Amino acid sequence: MNFKELLGKQMLFFDGATGTQLQARGLQPGELPESWNFTHPDIVEDVHRSYLDVGSNIVKSNTFGANPLKLAGSGLDCKETIEAAVAIAKKACGGRENKFVALNLGPTGKLLAPYGDLPFEKAVEAYGEMVRYGAAAGADLILIETMSDTYEIKAAVLASKENCDLPICVTMTFDEDGKLLTGATVEAAALMCEGLGVDAIGFNCGLGPVQVGKLFPQMLAATSLPLIINPNAGLPVQRDGKTCFDVGPEEYAELMYELAGKGASIVGGCCGTTPEHIAQMIAKCKTLQPGGTRDCRLTAVSSYGKAVHLGEGPIIIGERINPTGKKRLKEALVNSDLDYVCRLGLEQIGVGAQILDVNVGTPGIDEAAMAAKAVPALQAITDTPLQIDTSNYEAMEKALRLYNGKPMLNSVNGKEDSLQHVLPLAKKYGAVLVALCLDDNGIPATAAGRIAVAEKIIASAAEYGIESRNIVVDPLALTISTGADNAAIACEVIRTMKARGINTVMGVSNISFGLPGRDAVNSTFFSMAMAAGLSCGIINPQSKPMMDAYYGYRALAGYDEGCKEYVQHYADAPKAAATTVSEMGLYDAIVKGLQGPARQAAAKALESEKPLDIINKYMIPALDFVGHGFEKKTLFLPQLLMSADAAKAAFEVIREAVGVGETQGETVIIATVHGDIHDIGKNIVKVLLENYGYRVLDLGKDVPVEAVVEAAKKTDAKVVGLSALMTTTVGAMEETIAALHNECDCQVVVGGAVLTQEYADTIGAEHYAPNAVSAVNYVNEIMGK
């Protein structure tokens, strides 16, 4: 049987830690594990065989770092490396029954745009190259593992689907609070992966079984997919210059038995899990029934960072990013003024929008090109999910492809042309799909007619594999000025769909078209529709009557326990009414991550205030606020980086105005240690340090010990920051610290996914930074700022 036939039918077992097993057999700190596919193929095969012999069904190819972006400059060829690795793994399997080779795709080590410098399509291209080579070499499945960014996951999944037909598994590395590096919750990440059509998802690396056990129920509740658990053998510690994991084989087996019994379908291990760990785990778990797929009725959309559930009380979709009847927005779109588009989004979120409708179709522009700009721009400054609103199929696909998360797509209708174009896109990109109750004959005049169209769309979607839970029906409210029963018809459709278990959405204000005093009609109709069971109202959240109706209904219907939301809304109402985007000052522009407004506010401030006062009064407090939020986990990496970019934009205005040269502050050296080619964390630290006025000497990645020491001597730097992501390179970090302490007078701050406070203490670092803000705070402390 093949892998997919067995998945969910019997408990399957991954292998353990290829990297740490190679270290135990002589892989040196800084040496690329993939190079051993050529220099020590017998040892790589022996590692695979050691796991297969104790019962593992799946071995991961030695290609974790074989991405062409990572291999650039290493002397290794991507195609040759992957072909060699898959051949070694297949040889180890030796034709044995139910033994499979997983093509292992690790992270690129880069942060994707708009937060980093790697374009999304470049990431897709790089992963696609790996997949083509691996599939041709005979891999049985794709394993996308150790992922900490949903956008990179999406790039790898699309690359896999577009270049092969192999099953796809995705495992992610969460922190103990259940967040990815870029802020995604377990639920948000699971929703996106299931929408994209992967075959199984789960956890690997970063955490041990105990920590994963606390997060596992969240993934169980969020997806119907089979689940994978590949944790570390506990958290890493450093002893005698070596990375150690303290959960032994027997304890690991007991913990994994308990976890697997809660619904996992595949279990295995990551860092520190030896063949003995896997052997005892398999002996303990082999009789368990796999969790398989489950009936999940959850309807939800997500961004990179959070999910919004539909059907658990009415949801507000902000309607204002739509150029119909909006002269200023049309001008902004024609002029590619994305700052204005983003500010419209932030305004609506500030007064209660939970999803933003995004329609950028206007005469005189390339709608697909604008959609490709607007969607990433909005996602750069907010984690509020988006509803992509267009009838342009090219714009639809472009926006869906670049969207980071599980989007809402508005819309499909009952016309054959619409069904044939939209349903494949919704399936491929995993969208929650808005179904309009119209067909080739127009909008039916009766509720029964509209319900029939909705049922046709639902049935057609099922043929493409789109579940009814991912369909949201729009009854299409028509103005009561042309039909007295139009409100009643729309509400009847909503009631019928609710009874069928189908969610609904509606542009509420259409009901009053052509009438004066429209808010009175709109707000009353909104209350009627919510009472009928409307899941989502597309409204103007800046309309007081509409929001009064919304909060009043939620309180009356029992969705707002203790009327807390109602009371809070009216407490915040004066503040919300007093703040508009046109009044945004420098502090708010930086906090919200808006570069254009930050430049404008800085220029305006220079008219009456001194440059240093502006920096100290607005810029540093804003950065401190965002940094504090990041440490408290109320804000996440995307907001942190966008705020840093906004501050940088403001500083450029100040520098140009007063003729200040490049930053002349104290020097801080940063580097990714020898053998490690991951520089995401280092690059984030660099951006923040520069915003605080430091001169940052970035030595790059894979930096030899001697180069770090030489730079520290030459600049007399007081602080050196070192980063490492891989357990195989922490030895190089310890060696670098020892050399710095021996030859320089400096403090060393360290960070990276494999490090802990205990680990940092053991290798001699003065400070362990669990995140970028912690590193900056330490530098500020050392420098007396």
Side-chain angles (χ1 to χ4, degrees):
M1 298 179 76
N2 64 35
F3 169 77
K4 202 162 184 178
E5 290 171 333
L6 289 176
L7 179 61
K9 305 296 191 304
Q10 71 176 55
M11 188 66 76
L12 296 175
F13 301 98
F14 265 109
D15 56 6
T18 301
T20 49
Q21 284 298 294
L22 291 178
Q23 277 185 301
R25 288 163 168 80
L27 181 73
Q28 296 301 303
E31 191 177 4
L32 292 180
E34 293 77 18
S35 68
W36 277 38
N37 294 329
F38 305 104
T39 59
H40 300 84
D42 54 332
I43 296 179
V44 177
E45 181 185 344
D46 182 63
V47 170
H48 291 323
R49 197 182 300 278
S50 68
Y51 288 109
L52 291 164
D53 287 347
V54 298
S56 291
N57 303 101
I58 312 159
V59 289
K60 314 177 195 86
S61 64
N62 186 29
T63 56
F64 180 83
N67 189 292
L69 298 172
K70 279 186 173 181
L71 291 181
S74 69
L76 297 180
D77 177 76
C78 178
K79 182 174 186 291
E80 293 174 356
T81 302
I82 289 174
E83 288 176 343
V86 173
I88 292 168
K90 287 177 71 68
K91 184 180 178 185
C93 290
R96 288 181 281 184
E97 187 178 10
N98 297 339
K99 303 293 184 181
F100 308 107
V101 175
L103 177 65
N104 192 351
L105 309 184
T108 62
K110 293 182 176 291
L111 200 60
L112 273 65
Y115 315 116
D117 59 2
L118 179 60
F120 179 78
E121 292 297 350
K122 287 290 185 183
V124 175
E125 181 182 325
Y127 282 119
E129 189 174 338
M130 295 183 74
V131 170
R132 287 192 298 275
Y133 300 148
D140 299 298
L141 64 142
I142 307 294
L143 173 64
I144 301 166
E145 73 159 346
T146 321
M147 287 288 165
S148 58
D149 178 4
T150 52
Y151 213 25
E152 188 166 34
I153 293 170
K154 182 169 184 175
V157 171
L158 289 178
S160 299
K161 285 191 162 290
E162 291 170 356
N163 288 280
C164 77
D165 58 1
L166 296 176
I168 301 169
C169 298
V170 176
T171 55
M172 296 163 276
T173 302
F174 293 89
D175 65 19
E176 291 190 57
D177 294 313
K179 296 289 175 64
L180 296 181
L181 172 69
T182 49
T185 62
V186 171
E187 181 183 44
L191 286 167
M192 187 198 75
C193 288
E194 182 170 21
L196 290 172
V198 308
D199 296 282
I201 61 171
F203 304 86
N204 88 290
C205 207
L207 303 175
V210 172
Q211 294 80 22
V212 170
K214 296 174 183 177
L215 305 179
F216 188 63
Q218 297 176 35
M219 194 168 281
L220 271 173
T223 177
S224 61
L225 291 175
L227 300 184
I228 305 166
I229 309 175
N230 287 340
N232 291 346
L235 300 178
V237 294
Q238 183 80 356
R239 291 197 186 93
D240 301 323
K242 295 182 179 180
T243 303
C244 303
F245 295 85
D246 281 347
V247 176
E250 185 175 348
E251 182 185 2
Y252 189 82
E254 290 289 343
L255 291 170
M256 291 299 287
Y257 176 77
E258 182 180 347
L259 255 181
K262 294 178 179 178
S265 292
I266 313 178
V267 292
C270 201
C271 299
T273 51
T274 66
E276 182 62 22
H277 282 81
I278 302 303
Q280 293 207 29
M281 178 193 72
I282 292 173
K284 192 82 175 174
C285 298
K286 63 183 178 182
T287 59
L288 290 173
Q289 289 299 307
T293 58
R294 298 162 306 287
D295 183 22
C296 181
R297 296 302 304 164
L298 178 67
T299 301
V301 294
S302 69
S303 65
Y304 69 84
K306 70 179 179 184
V308 173
H309 293 195
L310 279 58
E312 299 178 2
I315 295 296
I316 298 296
I317 301 179
E319 69 178 10
R320 293 194 61 216
I321 305 178
N322 186 322
T324 304
K326 299 183 182 71
K327 181 181 178 181
R328 176 67 183 88
L329 178 55
K330 288 180 181 178
E331 292 174 352
L333 293 172
V334 169
N335 296 321
S336 293
D337 183 0
L338 294 175
D339 281 329
Y340 183 78
V341 175
C342 289
R343 289 184 298 185
L344 283 180
L346 290 173
E347 274 191 342
Q348 295 178 90
I349 295 165
V351 291
Q354 294 141 295
I355 299 171
L356 293 177
D357 184 81
V358 182
N359 184 320
V360 295
T362 195
I365 69 166
D366 180 337
E367 186 179 349
M370 178 52 67
K373 295 176 183 176
V375 167
L378 282 161
Q379 290 206 288
I381 53 92
T382 177
D383 64 353
T384 298
L386 306 182
Q387 174 176 263
I388 295 164
D389 184 357
T390 181
S391 57
N392 180 309
Y393 300 140
E394 184 184 359
M396 188 178 288
E397 176 154 28
K398 182 63 72 172
L400 287 170
R401 188 172 182 84
L402 294 176
Y403 185 82
N404 188 357
K406 182 180 177 67
M408 198 164 179
L409 176 60
N410 188 359
S411 57
V412 68
N413 60 57
K415 298 177 181 180
E416 287 305 316
D417 181 72
S418 177
L419 293 169
Q420 291 173 14
H421 280 88
V422 178
L423 293 179
L425 293 178
K427 175 61 177 176
K428 178 176 181 177
Y429 295 107
V432 169
L433 183 58
V434 174
L436 305 184
C437 292
L438 68 88
D439 57 15
D440 291 300
N441 298 313
I443 302 174
T446 65
R450 295 184 202 182
I451 291 166
V453 174
E455 295 289 3
K456 173 188 175 181
I457 296 171
I458 293 168
S460 297
E463 294 176 5
Y464 285 86
I466 300 172
E467 297 178 69
S468 61
R469 67 183 171 116
N470 286 318
I471 302 289
V472 184
V473 171
D474 186 341
L476 293 175
L478 300 177
T479 177
I480 54 173
S481 64
T482 61
D485 58 350
N486 279 338
I489 290 171
C491 287
E492 179 60 25
V493 174
I494 292 168
R495 277 190 289 270
T496 302
M497 290 294 108
K498 182 176 176 63
R500 276 266 282 110
I502 305 294
N503 286 289
T504 51
V505 63
M506 186 169 58
V508 177
S509 62
N510 293 337
I511 201 70
S512 66
F513 187 78
L515 296 175
R518 295 181 66 184
D519 267 350
V521 174
N522 293 345
S523 58
T524 302
F525 177 56
F526 190 26
S527 295
M528 291 172 59
M530 287 188 287
L534 181 68
S535 307
C536 309
I538 304 174
I539 69 167
N540 176 7
Q542 292 173 291
S543 164
K544 184 177 183 302
M546 295 299 281
M547 297 307 286
D548 286 347
Y550 173 74
Y551 284 105
Y553 173 77
R554 282 183 61 83
L556 289 166
Y559 292 114
D560 181 9
E561 186 176 350
C563 300
K564 294 176 183 176
E565 294 176 7
Y566 184 88
V567 171
Q568 187 62 49
H569 168 66
Y570 286 98
D572 290 343
K575 186 195 324 181
T579 304
T580 66
V581 291
S582 61
E583 299 167 348
M584 188 177 291
L586 181 55
Y587 177 92
D588 287 331
I590 292 173
V591 167
K592 295 181 184 300
L594 295 174
Q595 295 182 44
R599 292 189 190 95
Q600 296 164 11
K604 185 175 181 180
L606 281 168
E607 296 174 3
S608 58
E609 299 184 65
K610 297 177 180 179
L612 189 59
D613 290 342
I614 295 171
I615 293 170
N616 290 330
K617 187 176 178 181
Y618 306 113
M619 294 177 63
I620 297 302
L623 289 170
D624 286 344
F625 173 83
V626 174
H628 185 60
F630 181 78
E631 288 198 307
K632 290 176 62 181
K633 299 191 176 181
T634 56
L635 295 174
F636 297 98
L637 182 61
Q639 295 102 313
L640 182 73
L641 293 177
M642 296 311 295
S643 292
D645 283 346
K648 184 177 180 180
F651 185 73
E652 290 297 322
V653 171
I654 294 171
R655 187 166 64 187
E656 290 173 10
V658 299
V660 178
E662 293 295 324
T663 302
Q664 298 297 318
E666 300 92 334
T667 296
V668 178
I669 294 172
I670 59 173
T672 300
V673 298
H674 182 50
D676 204 312
I677 52 178
H678 300 83
D679 58 1
I680 290 177
K682 172 183 66 64
N683 292 344
I684 295 166
V685 171
K686 178 182 179 181
V687 170
L688 296 186
L689 286 170
E690 288 177 338
N691 273 282
Y692 278 86
Y694 295 106
R695 176 178 175 268
V696 180
L697 179 57
D698 182 358
L699 301 180
K701 56 192 178 184
D702 190 17
V703 183
V705 174
E706 299 78 13
V708 179
V709 173
E710 182 182 351
K713 284 181 175 179
K714 185 175 180 180
T715 61
D716 196 28
K718 294 181 181 178
V719 182
V720 175
L722 299 176
S723 173
L725 179 70
M726 302 160 62
T727 55
T728 54
T729 58
V730 177
M733 178 179 280
E734 182 177 19
E735 186 181 347
T736 305
I737 293 171
L740 285 168
H741 286 166
N742 187 49
E743 301 187 45
C744 309
D745 181 18
C746 65
Q747 307 289 299
V748 180
V749 53
V750 298
V754 296
L755 294 173
T756 62
Q757 182 66 62
E758 181 183 0
Y759 213 143
D761 292 341
T762 304
I763 62 178
E766 276 76 24
H767 181 73
Y768 161 62
N771 55 60
V773 172
S774 175
V776 173
N777 288 343
Y778 178 72
V779 173
N780 284 339
E781 180 184 332
I782 294 299
M783 300 298 188
K785 289 193 176 183

